[in-house]
Amino acid sequence: MAEASRSLGGYEPQVGLNTHEAGAPQRIPVPSLLRSLLSDHLDPGYAAAARRRAEGGTRRMSWAWQVLAGLGVATVFAVAVAQAQTAAPANRAAQQVLSGSVRAAESRTDALAAGRDALTSRVEGERRSRLAGDERGRALLADLDRDSFAAAATPVIGPGVTVVVTDPGVSRDLTDVSKQRVAGSRQVILDRDLQLVVNSLWVSGAEAIAVGGVRIGPNVTIRQAGGGILVDNQPIGSPYTVIAIGPPHAMQEAFGHSAGRQRLALLEKSYGVGVTVSTGEALTVAASSVRELRFAKQIGP
């Protein structure tokens, strides 16, 4: 009996029964075929196949949406490229017109500056020829020369110091913004740096200074204009060359301990700015343009 029960149910029927229940008839736990036919309407294999079919349809739908999104992005880029190609000739024509206007304006400015310099030379020659004849005229010429030098209206040649400041090159890692002194800009040298250098050179004993070939004199400013620096409204770029006429060795030593040199040393260490300070015996500083003085007020005795 035990062997037959084990072959049907897979376990001993008397397991877990007391002596009174051991001899009683037991039901064999075999699933009811009729209950299975009434409750399970779909064979498990068909159900699994249906689930796999549904999952495959979902994946195909996902791929279809991805393909449509890619086609949409490609279409947008194609339209943008077509519009850019269509507008390119007009943009090039506008750029050529603007560049031609700028070159024409620069040519007119250079011609006017040359005419101004020629007239200034003629006036200077006439003035000296008329005033150099007597003692009073020579004294007046000496006063005019002194005032012209103070107004930076005369060119100067002599020994002095040259300071060259160079912006650092572009970093290989374009995502590295840790060395940007101004957010969103690659420029490191600013107008206030050159202003401090010029003021330090004056304190060090300079008699005449030029920044980027532009003479520093009364009413001449160094200021920032967007991403560029203007000296007397003339743009200058890196490397920034500052020439100071004066006693070279004494001026170099004094400038080495000045606030301007300390600022440059900090920029060298922090941003990789290039700085060179050298002396020369025949440096040239051009004359500055003289502006008409309309209002003046005496300060002091």
Side-chain angles (χ1 to χ4, degrees):
M1 180 65 181
E3 293 298 331
S5 299
R6 186 179 298 110
S7 63
L8 292 176
Y11 63 94
E12 290 289 341
Q14 291 82 14
V15 175
L17 300 178
N18 55 30
T19 56
H20 300 287
E21 296 176 347
Q26 301 293 327
R27 294 181 178 181
I28 300 174
V30 178
S32 173
L33 179 59
L34 181 59
R35 185 180 296 110
S36 176
L37 292 175
L38 293 176
S39 60
D40 298 334
H41 304 287
L42 188 62
D43 186 84
Y46 288 103
R51 285 194 301 270
R52 288 194 299 269
R53 190 181 303 109
E55 292 175 357
T58 303
R59 286 194 295 268
R60 286 193 296 271
M61 185 61 68
S62 175
W63 279 105
W65 280 112
Q66 292 178 5
V67 171
L68 289 176
L71 290 176
V73 172
T75 302
V76 171
F77 276 106
V79 171
V81 170
Q83 291 180 350
Q85 291 178 351
T86 303
N91 292 336
R92 284 194 295 269
Q95 291 175 356
Q96 291 176 358
V97 171
L98 291 176
S99 61
S101 300
V102 171
R103 287 192 294 269
E106 290 178 348
S107 299
R108 289 195 298 270
T109 302
D110 294 340
L112 292 174
R116 178 203 62 195
D117 294 340
L119 292 176
T120 301
S121 300
R122 288 180 58 186
V123 170
E124 179 68 17
E126 290 290 334
R127 181 170 57 192
R128 291 191 175 277
S129 64
R130 294 176 182 274
L131 296 179
D134 55 2
E135 183 178 356
R136 184 179 178 183
R138 287 191 292 272
L140 182 58
L141 281 176
D143 293 338
L144 289 175
D145 291 340
R146 184 175 59 255
D147 294 338
S148 296
F149 182 80
T154 56
V156 179
I157 300 176
V161 172
T162 301
V163 181
V164 181
V165 185
T166 306
D167 268 322
V170 179
S171 175
R172 293 182 179 180
D173 186 2
L174 298 179
T175 62
D176 183 13
V177 296
S178 60
K179 292 187 177 182
Q180 287 186 354
R181 191 179 182 189
V182 179
S185 175
R186 297 174 180 172
Q187 185 179 10
V188 176
I189 303 301
L190 305 178
D191 53 354
R192 55 180 177 267
D193 303 321
L194 296 181
Q195 292 170 5
L196 185 58
V197 169
V198 169
N199 291 334
S200 298
L201 288 172
W202 285 126
V203 174
S204 301
E207 301 175 5
I209 298 178
V211 179
V214 182
R215 179 76 172 272
I216 302 298
N219 298 325
V220 174
T221 59
I222 303 174
R223 62 187 182 89
Q224 197 84 18
I229 296 179
L230 301 179
V231 181
D232 197 19
N233 292 325
Q234 299 184 34
I236 63 173
S238 178
Y240 306 97
T241 303
V242 183
I243 298 176
I245 303 296
H249 300 291
M251 190 164 51
Q252 184 181 23
E253 182 179 359
F255 179 71
H257 299 88
S258 65
R261 188 64 183 92
Q262 294 176 4
R263 170 76 65 83
L264 294 180
L266 180 61
L267 294 178
E268 281 183 286
K269 182 178 180 180
S270 301
Y271 301 99
V273 172
V275 179
T276 59
V277 181
S278 60
T279 60
E281 295 297 330
L283 303 180
T284 302
V285 173
S288 176
S289 59
V290 179
R291 295 177 176 84
E292 182 180 356
L293 186 61
R294 297 181 180 275
F295 302 96
K297 179 179 179 180
Q298 183 176 354
I299 300 176

